[in-house]
């Protein structure tokens, strides 16, 4: 059978910050699956900061979105038609054909998720690549050692909020988070267990970080770049480790953004600055999912979600992520 579905297309490559006119909501027909394929009714969609880079026509670690075609992103849904015995109708799956209500995809591109250990949408956030990014960054990229002082930027976001809690689990003596605005900063200490919260909107970030960590920092998990990275380098201790996860402060830049002007300090301090992509750390999945699921069950891990309703508001949700409108993981519920 055929199903009417709505999907979001990129129709123009953004110049600077994306606007609504860069996108279009298109109604289409999804046909019956051929052998080896399934039709999935999407129930949850993910929007993430990295998607901004895919809107540019440049070579990167993932190919750019194509103009006039449905965009892609993480999605959770239920198989409603199947031409593959490995995925019977009714199976809950994770896949990358998001930004749409229904998806006709190869069965091999869908991953069955266990909804008995956690809600389905958790596989787009804390149990998915979001949580895995935080874990990999602090276990393999910039390993946290017992007694370390850890600084995390974008700490109220999907990755940062998990990273702060993971750092504590790994033995950090002090966890410092940076977020935008007094409300988010307060939630870092009151709800996520951070020792100190910095409101970067107050300015003078290096002075704030010095006050929060007069003893210096040993690990920095960078989601922001720019002034945050500069401050972290200035306050880093000898042998400090920096995990370069994201640089959201410059995603909408239309001209080259200068790097930190104090990078020479990394030499004398023997710092390690290492960029990483979560897909290079998928071997940690069998460790992370059961561990995180247990922490969730025991109440030892908080996974915040900001939920927007409907595919027609997917672009609103995405623009909100770039502006810091979310606390925790931004999700669209269909």
């Amino acid at each position: 059978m055929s199903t009417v579905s709505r999907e979001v297309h990129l129709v123009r490559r953004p110049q600077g910050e994306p606007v609504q006119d860069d996108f279009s909501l298109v109604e289409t027909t999804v046909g019956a699956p051929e052998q080896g394929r399934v039709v999935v009714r999407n129930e949850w969609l993910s929007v993430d900061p990295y998607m901004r880079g895919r809107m540019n026509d440049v070579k990167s670690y993932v190919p750019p979105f194509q103009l006039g075609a449905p965009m892609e992103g993480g999605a959770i849904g239920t198989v409603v038609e199947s031409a593959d015995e490995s995925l019977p109708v009714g199976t809950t799956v994770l896949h990358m054909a998001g930004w749409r209500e229904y998806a006709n995809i190869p069965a091999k591109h869908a991953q069955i998720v266990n909804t008995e250990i956690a809600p389905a949408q958790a596989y787009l956030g804390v149990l998915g690549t979001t949580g895995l990014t935080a874990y990999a960054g602090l276990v393999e990229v910039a390993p946290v050692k017992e007694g370390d002082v850890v600084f995390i930027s974008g700490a109220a976001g999907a990755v940062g909020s998990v990273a702060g809690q993971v750092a504590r689990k790994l033995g950090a003596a002090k966890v410092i988070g940076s977020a935008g605005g007094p409300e988010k900063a307060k939630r870092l200490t009151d709800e996520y267990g951070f020792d100190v919260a910095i409101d970067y909107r107050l300015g003078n970030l290096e002075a704030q970080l010095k006050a929060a960590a007069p003893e210096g920092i040993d690990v920095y998990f960078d989601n922001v770049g720019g002034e945050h990275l500069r401050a972290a380098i200035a306050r880093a201790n000898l042998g400090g480790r920096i995990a370069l996860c994201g640089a959201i402060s410059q995603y909408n830049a239309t001209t080259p953004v200068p790097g930190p002007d104090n990078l020479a300090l990394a030499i004398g301090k023997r710092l390690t600055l290492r960029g990483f992509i979560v897909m290079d750390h998928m071997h940690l999945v069998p460790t992370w999912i059961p561990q995180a699921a247990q922490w969730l069950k025991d109440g030892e891990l908080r996974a915040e979600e900001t939920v927007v309703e409907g595919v027609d508001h997917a672009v609103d949700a995405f623009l909100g992520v770039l502006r810091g409108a979310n606390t925790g993981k931004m999700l669209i519920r269909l």
Side-chain angles (χ1 to χ4, degrees):
M1 61 177 289
S2 297
T3 303
V4 176
S5 175
R6 293 180 298 169
E7 56 191 30
V8 179
H9 290 198
L10 184 69
V11 296
R12 184 177 65 186
R13 300 209 180 274
Q15 299 298 313
E17 183 175 353
V19 296
Q20 289 283 349
D21 287 346
D22 295 327
F23 308 88
S24 179
L25 185 64
V26 177
E27 189 173 285
T28 188
T29 300
V30 177
E34 297 179 354
Q35 186 60 41
R37 300 179 70 89
V38 295
V39 173
V40 179
R41 181 185 66 242
N42 287 335
E43 290 149 7
W44 294 91
L45 309 178
S46 175
V47 291
D48 304 280
Y50 84 88
M51 294 175 174
R52 176 61 185 87
R54 296 192 66 185
M55 294 174 188
N56 301 326
D57 190 14
V58 296
K59 185 177 181 180
S60 185
Y61 62 93
V62 285
F65 292 128
Q66 298 301 303
L67 294 180
M71 292 168 60
E72 300 170 343
I76 290 284
T78 301
V79 175
V80 293
E81 293 186 70
S82 177
D84 189 295
E85 61 183 15
S86 68
L87 292 180
V89 170
T91 305
T92 301
V93 295
L94 167 69
H95 60 90
M96 288 300 294
W99 291 85
R100 66 198 85 179
E101 293 174 315
Y102 288 83
N104 185 325
I105 59 174
K108 64 182 179 181
H109 292 171
Q111 174 189 339
I112 298 174
V113 298
N114 181 0
T115 57
E116 293 183 0
I117 63 171
Q121 71 271 23
Y123 289 89
L124 293 176
V126 65
L127 295 190
T129 54
T130 298
L132 184 65
T133 298
Y135 185 66
L138 297 176
V139 169
E140 293 190 336
V141 181
V144 173
K145 302 174 183 176
E146 193 79 27
D148 276 346
V149 177
V150 178
F151 175 44
I152 297 166
S153 59
V159 173
S161 60
V162 175
Q165 297 172 84
V166 169
R168 178 75 72 210
K169 291 287 189 183
L170 295 174
K174 179 186 283 187
V175 182
I176 303 161
S178 172
E183 181 180 344
K184 283 188 176 181
K186 188 173 187 298
R187 294 188 70 179
L188 292 184
T189 53
D190 291 356
E191 301 177 25
Y192 295 113
F194 285 75
D195 295 291
V196 185
I198 291 173
D199 178 359
Y200 70 82
R201 292 179 182 172
L202 295 177
N204 205 346
L205 192 61
E206 185 177 333
Q208 287 199 69
L209 184 56
K210 182 177 181 180
E215 67 275 56
I217 62 171
D218 303 296
V219 171
Y220 172 47
F221 192 108
D222 188 20
N223 290 305
V224 177
E227 286 300 308
H228 278 81
L229 180 56
R230 186 190 187 283
I233 291 171
R235 297 302 305 153
N237 290 327
L238 190 70
R241 288 87 67 202
I242 297 176
L244 302 173
C245 177
I248 197 170
S249 66
Q250 62 193 58
Y251 285 170
N252 291 325
T254 56
T255 57
V257 178
D261 61 8
N262 61 348
L263 194 57
L265 292 176
I267 301 170
K269 294 185 177 186
R270 288 78 146 180
L271 304 183
T272 299
L273 291 80
R274 181 180 171 189
F276 76 106
I277 301 300
V278 69
M279 302 313 293
D280 295 334
H281 301 271
M282 298 306 287
H283 59 278
L284 294 175
V285 167
T287 301
W288 171 245
I289 289 181
Q291 179 64 85
Q294 188 62 51
W295 285 340
L296 284 172
K297 180 181 178 182
D298 295 341
E300 297 179 19
L301 178 62
R302 183 181 178 90
E304 187 78 13
E305 297 169 353
T306 300
V307 178
V308 173
E309 302 287 344
V311 70
D312 48 327
H313 292 294
V315 173
D316 296 325
F318 172 69
L319 298 180
V321 166
L322 296 182
R323 297 167 183 159
N326 58 301
T327 299
K329 179 68 178 178
M330 178 70 88
L331 295 170
I332 297 104
R333 179 166 49 202
L334 303 184

